[in-house]
Amino acid sequence: MNLLGLIVEYNPFHNGHLYHLNESKKITNATHTIAVMSGNFMQRGTPALLDKFTRAEMAVKNGVDLVVELPTLYACQSAEIFSHGGITLLSSLNCVNSVCFGSEIGHIDILYLIAKILIDEPDIFKNKLKNYLGEGLPFPKARASALFDYISENKLYDTSKDTLLEILNSPNNILGIEYIKSILKLNSEIKPYTINRVNSGYNSLNINDSICSASAIRNALKDNSLDTINYTMPKQTYNIINDVVSSGFNLVYNDDFYQILSSIILRDKDNLTDYFEVNEGIENKIYNSIFKCQNIEELQNQIKSKRYTMTKISRTLNNIMLGIKRDDIIKIKDLNTLPYLRVLAFNDKGCEILKEIKKNSEIEVITKFSKIKHIDSDIFNTLINYDIRATNMYNLIYNINNTSALKGPMDYVTSPKYIK
């Protein structure tokens, strides 16, 4: 078995994802694929359009063999924490041969070199970084300048400072560097590969080709324009979304959680700094802004400043809403193995992967919550309880027009989807 790992969100699965999946299989010669997928909340601190089981079903119907959940504590955090969670889960299985990610640069060599320098932190590099910071440069520019000096002076790679800065400012390159850093930290035998992202940018809202961003697709769906985007996604994805909407489920967007979020902010006014990334006085700005806003977009714009980017604000607010405590992130962010694998969807090849995992790893494979064994593990309980909480909060909105489908905590009653 040549097992390819992918770390994904599939929000929703579209033609760009299908291209990435097929090209990844080609360059790695993979016989089987496992996707570690964010659950009901995304890396940028936003809810998923559709629930995790439905998105996992989309993935398997489009060629992924096994989809498992990236624990919530990793799934909605910075690139460093998100990437470490995904790579650590894959590494814990002891049978994954490769991981392949999309990047703007499309070349693994420079990303690997940057990751290795950032992990090793040679003294010359650290001194250059310190000097640039002392000159008043912002950290990203200081780091890019120090990296360029170190790479060029040691003739490690032929590149310009502008190119290096562009690499370090591109979201998928950043994720790729973090994936490689985690592989190096864990001393993992997983081999990293990358392919070029094609067509639309990460956040582009334009739909002008068969491959566009997930942001553009979600934006069109928000305007009830399902028919206008059918050529941007595989038929299986289109049919599933159409069935979900026809069945009365609610496609989920950030503003759907505004009342829940604002109530928590008002209730926890004096304890906001307990939540991860609520620091540097942002708690005061959040509390004072809540009285002036009617939705999350307005709240984010009120809080935004040179110090706080929109993505940082979005993740911070999401941490408050999900109750993600700073102490719990500290507890799990540097783990070198994860205690469980939550199965969301699979096919026959996925069954073969699960057999290989059970043969090679001690990780607990969860298909039914009633059979969970590690109830006495602090790390296990910390991770799993956030997954359950996130699912419960998400389903309050997802099922708002279809309450008969909500049968209590859905993690306990929903089985993984087997796709023949």
Side-chain angles (χ1 to χ4, degrees), residues 28 47 160 173 207 210 298 302 305 312 325 327 355 360 373 401 408:
T28 61
S160 69
N173 290 339
I207 297 179
S210 62
E298 288 182 12
Q302 280 284 329
S305 68
K312 154 115 173 145
K325 299 288 184 69
D327 291 347
K355 288 178 183 176
N360 289 279
K373 298 174 183 175
N401 297 321

Side-chain angles (χ1 to χ4, degrees), residues 221-232:
L221 287 169
K222 196 171 187 179
D223 294 332
N224 298 312
S225 303
L226 181 57
D227 289 338
T228 67
I229 57 172
N230 60 354
Y231 63 92
T232 69

Side-chain angles (χ1 to χ4, degrees), residues 235-246:
K235 183 179 179 181
Q236 293 90 338
T237 298
Y238 179 85
N239 289 342
I240 289 172
I241 294 176
N242 197 36
D243 288 345
V244 166
V245 173
S246 300

Side-chain angles (χ1 to χ4, degrees), residues 187-207:
N187 197 26
S188 172
E189 294 182 0
I190 295 173
K191 185 175 180 180
Y193 293 83
T194 190
I195 61 170
N196 268 114
R197 278 182 62 88
V198 292
N199 288 23
S200 293
Y202 189 63
N203 291 315
S204 172
L205 296 181
N206 296 321
I207 297 179

Side-chain angles (χ1 to χ4, degrees), residues 90 128 132 137 144 150 178 196 222 235 264 266 331 411:
L90 290 174
K128 288 181 178 294
Y132 280 120
L137 282 181
Y150 183 81
E178 293 300 336
N196 268 114
K222 196 171 187 179
K235 183 179 179 181
I264 291 171
L266 294 174
K331 190 188 299 182
D411 278 319

Side-chain angles (χ1 to χ4, degrees), residues 132 141 144-146 148-149 159-167:
Y132 280 120
K141 287 188 178 180
S145 297
F148 174 75
D149 289 351
T159 187
S160 69
K161 185 179 286 190
D162 286 344
T163 299
L164 193 62
L165 189 61
E166 185 178 349
I167 290 171

